[in-house]
Amino acid sequence: MFGTIMAIDGKMVKLKLDETLNADYLELLAHGGQNHVDIRLIDNRGITGKQNKVAHALISDVATWSGDYPILVEQYLKYYFMAESGYWFSHASATRSQAREWIDFLIEFVLSNDVPLPKRYEHLTQNTSWFYYCLKYRKCCICGQHADVAHVETVGMGRNRQEIDHSDHRFMALCRKHHTEQHTIGILLFLKLYQIIPVYLDYEERKKLHIGG
């Protein structure tokens, strides 16, 4: 259902819905308990040109990889996305926030399925999610080859990485070639050269991605 927020007082939110709630249906859903809701805030700003461009580029790459028509692949991906997000994505009416969710979904699909990308898209290098999912699937954030986790902050020679406090460290996924280059030219020049946004991970995220302690 859709509606408008009329007032907010701490955790109390007053909503005006676009249509009347069916009391009998609410009682059926509650099963003798309380009714709970899942509120999704809508971004009134529309999808940007960069978001639209990179989304279609990724869809085209998936189509090339799968050998199917882009229009059919797009529909398949949208059904897959709807199963995860709960809503149908439309480039024509998408908000900026919805487009960000859609691109994040496409990034994860591409990386988890080893879909080859013909080049690094500019919008991806401006998107923290790209670097996060590269870490998750151990793909080099520069070339897409198999990668290891690289520390931005120096760990130090001879130290046990399992005993290091990683809470103040930033990470990136680099293949052996680019990891060697990073050490050769220095971290600051390397980050600038390849437009890398290092990722901060809290304890739960590091545990989920099997990174240090």
Side-chain angles (χ1 to χ4, degrees), residues 5-193:
I5 295 177
M6 304 303 293
I8 301 176
D9 182 10
K11 293 184 178 180
M12 302 295 293
V13 180
K14 183 179 180 181
L15 301 174
K16 180 181 179 182
L17 299 177
D18 293 344
E19 54 187 274
T20 304
L21 280 172
N22 185 313
D24 292 333
Y25 184 55
L26 284 176
E27 186 176 348
L28 178 65
L29 291 177
H31 293 290
Q34 292 181 313
N35 285 109
H36 298 276
V37 296
D38 178 11
I39 297 178
R40 180 187 297 273
L41 297 176
I42 296 176
D43 187 347
N44 288 328
R45 300 169 300 170
I47 184 173
T48 69
K50 285 185 176 180
Q51 287 177 320
N52 193 52
K53 182 178 179 180
V54 76
H56 279 101
L58 292 174
I59 291 169
S60 178
D61 292 336
V62 174
T64 300
W65 165 75
S66 66
D68 214 333
Y69 293 107
I71 191 170
L72 296 179
V73 169
E74 181 174 344
Q75 295 304 303
Y76 162 76
L77 290 170
K78 285 181 177 180
Y79 277 113
Y80 190 3
F81 175 77
M82 184 172 67
E84 291 189 1
S85 67
Y87 69 93
W88 181 262
F89 181 82
S90 167
H91 287 95
S93 60
T95 66
R96 200 167 298 184
S97 295
Q98 290 172 333
R100 190 178 304 116
E101 287 184 61
W102 172 236
I103 292 170
D104 285 357
F105 164 81
L106 292 174
I107 288 172
E108 183 162 20
F109 184 91
V110 164
L111 292 174
S112 64
N113 288 282
D114 293 321
V115 177
L117 301 181
K119 64 177 182 177
R120 293 181 84 214
Y121 299 115
E122 180 183 2
H123 186 71
L124 291 186
T125 62
Q126 301 168 354
N127 190 331
T128 306
S129 295
W130 169 255
F131 298 98
Y132 172 82
Y133 285 117
C134 282
L135 282 168
K136 180 177 180 179
Y137 293 102
R138 301 297 197 265
K139 301 292 183 182
C140 181
C141 61
I142 299 171
C143 66
Q145 298 299 311
H146 174 73
D148 294 317
V149 176
H151 291 72
V152 173
E153 287 71 29
T154 304
V155 172
M157 293 292 290
R159 296 177 64 188
N160 187 337
R161 295 186 174 224
Q162 298 304 315
E163 297 177 357
I164 296 171
D165 179 5
H166 291 81
S167 58
D168 293 328
H169 286 262
R170 293 173 297 165
F171 304 92
M172 53 188 171
L174 298 177
C175 66
R176 186 166 299 180
K177 172 187 172 183
H178 286 107
H179 201 170
T180 300
E181 181 181 359
Q182 176 244 305
H183 287 291
T184 301
I185 69 175
I187 188 63
L188 294 180
L189 177 58
F190 184 79
L191 295 178
K192 183 177 180 180
L193 178 64

